[in-house]
Amino acid sequence: MNHKEISLPRKLTNQLLHLAQLSPDTEVCGLIGADSTGMPASCYPVENSAATPQTRFLLDASQQIEAMRQIREKGETLFAIYHSHPHTPAQPSATDIQEASYPDALHLIISLNTKGVLEMRGFKIAGDSAEEVELNLIEA
C-alpha cells in the first residue's frame, strides 16, 4: 500500500479532533476501520494505558482486542491507528516509530500544540522510518 494521498471523511476527522480536544492533557488513542471499499468509516476509541499518558500512548490490550473484533464483525479492515500529542507537533516521536507494530496501518497524529488550531497528519511507519502521507478531507 503505497498511497501518497489518503482520503478521510470530514465527519470522521471531526470526531477524532473532538476526542483529542476532550482530553487536552493526555494522549488519546484508538483504531479506525475501513469499509469494504477501503474508505475509512468507523472510529474505535481505546483507552490509553501508558504509565505517562501525557507524553506516551499505549493501546489498552483488552480494549484493542475488542476493537479489532468489532472491526472484523463489521466486515471492516484496520485502516489506521490514531493518537494525539497534547503539547508537541503532529509528527511521530522516536517512541512512536519504535513501537509501531502495524506497518500496513496509517498512523494519524493529532496535535493540540498549535494555538487554537488542531493539526492532524498521517504517516506510514515501517522499520525505523516514517513517511508522511497527504490527507485529503472529503464529504462522505
Side-chain angles (χ1 to χ4, degrees):
M1 259 181 66
N2 194 7
H3 294 303
K4 291 284 182 239
E5 185 179 280
I6 287 185
S7 295
L8 281 178
R10 192 174 292 279
K11 189 176 157 215
L12 188 65
T13 303
N14 290 343
Q15 189 180 359
L16 293 175
L17 298 177
H18 182 65
L19 287 168
Q21 282 175 303
L22 290 177
S23 171
D25 298 317
T26 56
E27 296 193 8
V28 298
C29 53
L31 307 177
I32 294 171
D35 64 21
S36 57
T37 67
M39 180 58 69
S42 313
C43 173
Y44 301 86
V46 173
E47 204 171 300
N48 181 352
S49 61
T52 54
Q54 299 80 7
T55 55
R56 293 275 167 88
F57 86 100
L58 179 65
L59 293 166
D60 177 82
S62 61
Q63 287 188 19
Q64 180 181 354
I65 290 165
E66 175 59 21
M68 293 293 264
R69 189 184 67 76
Q70 289 177 26
I71 287 172
R72 275 196 311 274
E73 274 188 3
K74 286 176 82 170
E76 295 178 345
T77 51
L78 176 63
F79 175 79
I81 297 164
Y82 70 86
H83 75 282
S84 63
H85 283 178
H87 309 295
T88 56
Q91 56 198 45
S93 65
T95 308
D96 292 340
I97 292 172
Q98 212 181 324
E99 296 181 354
S101 49
Y102 292 94
D104 291 337
L106 180 69
H107 289 261
L108 290 172
I109 303 177
I110 303 139
S111 173
L112 306 174
N113 189 38
T114 37
K115 303 204 181 320
V117 182
L118 289 169
E119 180 189 21
M120 184 165 81
R121 292 166 69 190
F123 297 86
K124 284 286 186 179
I125 301 178
D128 54 7
S129 69
E131 183 189 2
E132 182 156 10
V133 179
E134 198 178 320
L135 301 177
N136 179 24
L137 296 190
I138 56 166
E139 302 300 332

